[in-house]
Amino acid sequence: MPPKRARATKKKRKTTKTKRRTTKKRTTTKKRTTTRKRKTTKTKRSKSTASAASRKRKAGDAGPSSCIKLPRVELVFAETVTPRPVIPASPGSKVPSVVRQRYLNLFIDEFLKTTDTEKEAFEQGLKEENNIYERASNKQIYLSLSINNLKRLRTARADPSKAVPSSPPPKNAVSHSAVLGGKAAAQNAFTLHRSAGRPVQGVYQGKELFDKLQPYLLTREQLWDNGYPRSAVIPGQAEVKEDGSKKPATCTADSNQKICCRCGKTFLRRPGGEYITKETCSFHWGKLWRKKVGGMVDHRFSCCSGDSEAIGCCLSKLHVTEDKTSDLSGFMKTYSKSPPRDGYSGLYALDCEMCYTVKGMELTRVTVVDDQLKQVYDSLVKPDNAVVDYNTRFSGITEDDLKSVDTKLHNVQAVLLNMFSSETILIGHSLESDMLALKLIHESVIDTAVVFPHKLGPPLKRALRTLMAEFVKKIIQSDVGGHDSMEDAKSCMELMIWKVKEDAKTKK
């Protein structure tokens, strides 16, 4: 072997030996450290056990008198929580289930504060929410009704006296107990409320409101086009523009043959009112609207959500007709009176309720309010002909309401002629129907259905309930017992006051 290679091998052996020595030293040091740690932990544990044993000995030497006696605690198990009712999901519903559930929980929270048990609160909350859902025709009305009912519940809980407000009649009221209609009309006298003192700033009323409303009066052409009764050549007779585009004709060439205004069927009735065809009328009281059901556009009735081919959801004993223009005799016209000093001839809102008789629709109630939304005249009226259907769903009038009523149409005409002059402004919604029912001819008229027209134009008209919800932010006609002529008359006056204020803002 050459000498260079031998030297290299020697060096390698030396390096390996040194490496082995260093590794042995490291392992021995690690073992020593681990053994030391184990010894220290053992000593600590022994010391801790000794101290604990000494403490026990001391406690034992002290005797049983030093033991602390803890009081017994009775275990009370929590009652089972009753789950709240859940609104089932219904796709295509007029109000989403999530919205209904939220307001159901709010109603339950309010009833929990006043009821004794959870079950009672759940039942009342479900009943309240279900009533609102049935009364509402869309989501907006549902929300408004729910909010108003929540406010009512909270107000009644905070102050029960505010739940049923009562106000005495004003001291400065001037009562008219005797008018042109005689004894029967005197039983339904009207009252004029005179406002004392200066008018409140920012509130339109009296002569100021009377002047502001002059631009909204219907012209003679508008009165004729909208079907208002106009004076005829013969005294006591009226003329009305015939417009067959609104509804199908209610009579045919045969004087005995009529068409039901509810179901559209043909039936026989003599001109005197005697029914020849006596059959039950099956009809839908709601309107046929376009609705989205399952992503498809479909026509559904607002009353029962049935399609256009569905059988009627309501029944009546006999078929009925409107026939508002079949008898145009017995009309009275307001006459001009000497104007007062300030030129204020009066401003009123008027609304009527009608029922179906053997001769068509006749007056059952008339209500008049002034510019301060106070009742001026309100009277039930007994129809001249036999009643077929009281139309309670919309009029709110029942058979019991008219049993003891003796006031006739001519008594109401006498009261209104004494109250109004030809310059008095009358406000109403589709007031031509009220004028035909009252058999009254008047010139100074403001029709909210004309002031707030339908976007598709005539003969379509917007409902008063829709106008109040959109502009005045107020829900009306929400009672399932029928409309209230007082509420409708006040709504017409409020709507025009709102219109005057808004137009004054734009002019500034």
Side-chain angles (χ1 to χ4, degrees):
M1 178 183 290
K4 288 183 180 180
R5 192 177 292 176
R7 287 184 209 136
T9 53
K10 284 181 181 179
K11 284 182 180 181
K12 284 181 181 180
R13 288 173 184 171
K14 286 181 180 179
T15 53
T16 52
K17 286 180 180 180
T18 53
K19 286 180 180 179
R20 288 172 183 171
R21 288 173 187 169
T22 54
T23 52
K24 282 182 180 181
K25 287 180 181 180
R26 287 175 183 174
T27 52
T28 52
T29 52
K30 284 182 180 180
K31 286 180 180 180
R32 289 173 184 169
T33 52
T34 52
T35 52
R36 287 174 186 170
K37 287 181 180 179
R38 287 173 184 172
K39 287 179 181 179
T40 53
T41 52
K42 283 182 180 180
T43 53
K44 286 181 180 179
R45 285 176 184 174
S46 62
K47 288 179 180 179
S48 62
T49 52
S51 62
S54 64
R55 286 196 212 101
K56 286 181 180 179
R57 276 190 236 104
K58 288 179 182 178
D61 296 338
S65 60
S66 62
C67 295
I68 300 171
K69 292 183 179 181
L70 298 175
R72 286 188 176 184
V73 179
E74 186 179 357
L75 296 176
V76 180
F77 295 96
E79 296 181 359
T80 56
V81 179
T82 307
R84 290 196 174 195
V86 180
I87 301 294
S90 55
S93 176
K94 56 186 177 182
V95 182
S97 303
V98 180
V99 179
R100 293 185 63 188
Q101 186 65 47
R102 182 169 74 247
Y103 281 98
L104 173 61
N105 293 334
L106 291 174
F107 285 128
I108 290 174
D109 292 340
E110 291 300 322
F111 285 118
L112 282 172
K113 300 172 184 177
T114 56
T115 54
D116 297 331
T117 60
E118 284 187 347
K119 185 179 179 181
E120 188 178 354
F122 292 167
E123 291 176 355
Q124 292 187 12
L126 275 171
K127 185 178 179 181
E128 188 79 17
E129 195 279 333
N130 191 34
N131 289 337
I132 293 174
Y133 180 75
E134 290 179 353
R135 286 156 53 186
S137 58
N138 52 42
K139 181 181 175 182
Q140 181 183 3
I141 295 177
Y142 176 86
L143 294 174
S144 300
L145 287 174
S146 301
I147 293 170
N148 290 338
N149 280 27
L150 282 171
K151 288 181 180 178
R152 176 179 57 81
L153 291 173
R154 289 165 183 168
T155 304
R157 182 170 54 82
D159 189 0
S161 62
K162 293 183 179 180
V164 183
S166 59
S167 57
K171 296 180 180 179
N172 55 352
V174 183
S175 177
H176 297 256
S177 58
V179 290
L180 298 177
K183 184 178 178 181
Q187 295 175 356
N188 299 281
F190 63 91
T191 305
L192 296 177
H193 300 276
R194 302 296 184 185
S195 58
R198 296 181 180 179
V200 183
Q201 293 184 355
V203 178
Y204 291 114
Q205 59 184 10
K207 180 65 167 59
E208 184 181 8
L209 182 60
F210 182 83
D211 295 336
K212 295 284 185 180
L213 289 173
Q214 293 294 327
Y216 305 100
L217 292 173
L218 297 184
T219 62
R220 292 186 177 181
E221 291 77 11
Q222 288 177 320
L223 290 171
W224 176 254
D225 293 338
N226 286 277
Y228 280 84
R230 311 300 297 148
S231 299
V233 179
I234 304 174
Q237 296 284 336
E239 294 178 346
V240 179
K241 181 181 179 180
E242 294 292 339
D243 189 3
S245 61
K246 294 183 179 180
K247 287 186 178 180
T250 57
C251 59
T252 59
D254 186 1
S255 60
N256 292 333
Q257 195 174 20
K258 307 290 182 181
I259 299 175
C260 182
C261 62
R262 284 175 164 177
C263 65
K265 288 185 178 180
T266 304
F267 68 100
L268 298 176
R269 187 180 68 191
R270 291 190 173 91
E274 182 183 355
Y275 274 83
I276 302 173
T277 304
K278 297 181 180 180
E279 63 179 8
T280 304
C281 177
S282 176
F283 64 96
H284 294 278
W285 61 264
K287 294 183 179 180
L288 193 63
W289 296 101
R290 293 179 61 188
K291 287 188 177 182
K292 288 185 178 181
V293 180
M296 301 290 290
V297 177
D298 193 10
H299 290 81
R300 299 278 176 176
F301 283 100
S302 59
C303 50
C304 61
S305 299
D307 57 13
S308 57
E309 302 296 330
I311 301 174
C313 58
C314 295
L315 295 176
S316 180
K317 293 181 179 180
L318 296 170
H319 296 290
V320 293
T321 58
E322 291 186 352
D323 288 346
K324 296 179 182 178
T325 59
S326 59
D327 183 14
L328 294 177
S329 62
F331 274 77
M332 303 293 289
K333 184 178 180 181
T334 55
Y335 54 91
S336 181
K337 299 178 183 179
S338 56
R341 294 179 180 178
D342 57 354
Y344 176 44
S345 300
L347 171 63
Y348 304 99
L350 183 146
D351 188 72
C352 297
E353 303 295 347
M354 281 82 79
C355 69
Y356 293 101
T357 67
V358 295
K359 291 288 191 72
M361 297 198 78
E362 293 190 36
L363 183 70
T364 55
R365 184 185 178 186
V366 57
T367 304
V368 182
V369 299
D370 61 6
D371 56 326
Q372 299 180 26
L373 307 180
K374 294 180 180 180
Q375 174 185 321
V376 176
Y377 178 64
D378 187 24
S379 175
L380 294 173
V381 186
K382 189 173 184 178
D384 294 330
N385 299 286
V387 178
V388 178
D389 192 335
Y390 286 90
N391 199 23
T392 306
R393 182 179 293 276
F394 295 100
S395 66
I397 306 297
T398 62
E399 183 179 1
D400 295 335
D401 294 335
L402 299 180
K403 276 185 178 179
S404 59
V405 176
D406 297 326
T407 305
K408 292 286 188 175
L409 177 60
H410 66 271
N411 304 129
V412 176
Q413 288 177 332
V415 173
L416 296 182
L417 288 174
N418 187 45
M419 188 188 308
F420 305 150
S421 69
S422 58
E423 293 80 18
T424 302
I425 295 180
L426 296 183
I427 303 174
H429 190 76
S430 295
L431 200 57
E432 74 278 2
S433 300
D434 303 323
M435 292 289 121
L436 289 170
L438 289 167
K439 292 196 172 185
L440 197 66
I441 300 174
H442 190 67
E443 298 289 337
S444 304
V445 172
I446 296 177
D447 195 336
T448 53
V450 179
V451 178
F452 300 89
H454 197 280
K455 62 180 180 181
L456 299 179
L460 299 176
K461 294 182 179 181
R462 302 188 66 183
L464 180 62
R465 179 177 65 178
T466 308
L467 294 175
M468 288 295 292
E470 180 177 348
F471 297 110
V472 189
K473 310 300 180 186
K474 186 177 179 181
I475 299 300
I476 64 170
Q477 300 176 358
S478 59
D479 190 1
V480 293
H483 295 182
D484 183 9
S485 56
M486 180 69 67
E487 181 184 45
D488 292 349
K490 289 181 178 180
S491 300
C492 292
M493 183 65 74
E494 287 181 282
L495 201 58
M496 288 311 303
I497 293 174
W498 178 89
K499 179 67 175 174
V500 169
K501 290 181 179 179
E502 289 299 313
D503 289 350
K505 292 178 183 178
T506 56
K507 288 180 181 178
K508 290 180 180 179

